[in-house]
Amino acid sequence: MDEIAENTLDITRQENVTRILDAAERLFRHYGYSKTTVADIARDLGMSPANIYRFFASKVEIHQALCGRMLATAYQIAYDIRHQPISASERLRRYVETQHQLTLDLMLDEMKVHEMIIVAIERDWHVIEKHIDRVHDLIAEIIAEGIAAGEFVEQDPVVASRCFGAATINLCHPQMVAQCLAKTNRASVDELIDYVIRALKK
């Protein structure tokens, strides 16, 4: 098989994968993850379940791929903020505010999406751990630049990044956001961000 034919097959395969994931996400959002079957996805696409299994071994694998796609979007947002021409403090602030809003928009306003994320977290999939590591790397880079610019005190940026993530997790973790949203005895988003950024400066 020549290179052009191989490339064509790759493109066709990716198009089919994308169609399956789009249909699955649409059905998961409408009916919920637990109530949607591979047969439902196949029916929505006008194909047989066997055709779905050519690309994904199970519904769990489809879900995992969808989770990876959603996390990739969240990472791209974080990556873009990391490279904005503003101070390190403002980039950290913008990152947490944006991730918090993303959590609210995608995971709480649409409870079916929230269900998808909770299932993924409970299964402790490697795609989530990989995402956390990649985001920590971005935050460490921002902190290192803040140290170099004199915004933050001298410290290990890797350790500081992990502490920053731990201190703001209840603004980004869907379960914690859901639990804390209506409570009045919790720090506000701005109060918590101010606190953790102030800690980097001392």
Side-chain angles (χ1 to χ4, degrees), residues 120-136:
I121 290 171
E122 289 174 348
R123 287 174 174 164
D124 197 23
W125 282 341
H126 71 278
V127 291
I128 295 177
E129 288 304 310
K130 182 178 179 181
H131 172 72
I132 292 171
D133 289 342
R134 294 177 75 203
V135 169
H136 279 170

Side-chain angles (χ1 to χ4, degrees), residues 69-80:
R69 193 164 74 167
M70 294 173 70
L71 291 175
T73 299
Y75 176 80
Q76 187 60 51
I77 292 171
Y79 179 89
D80 291 343

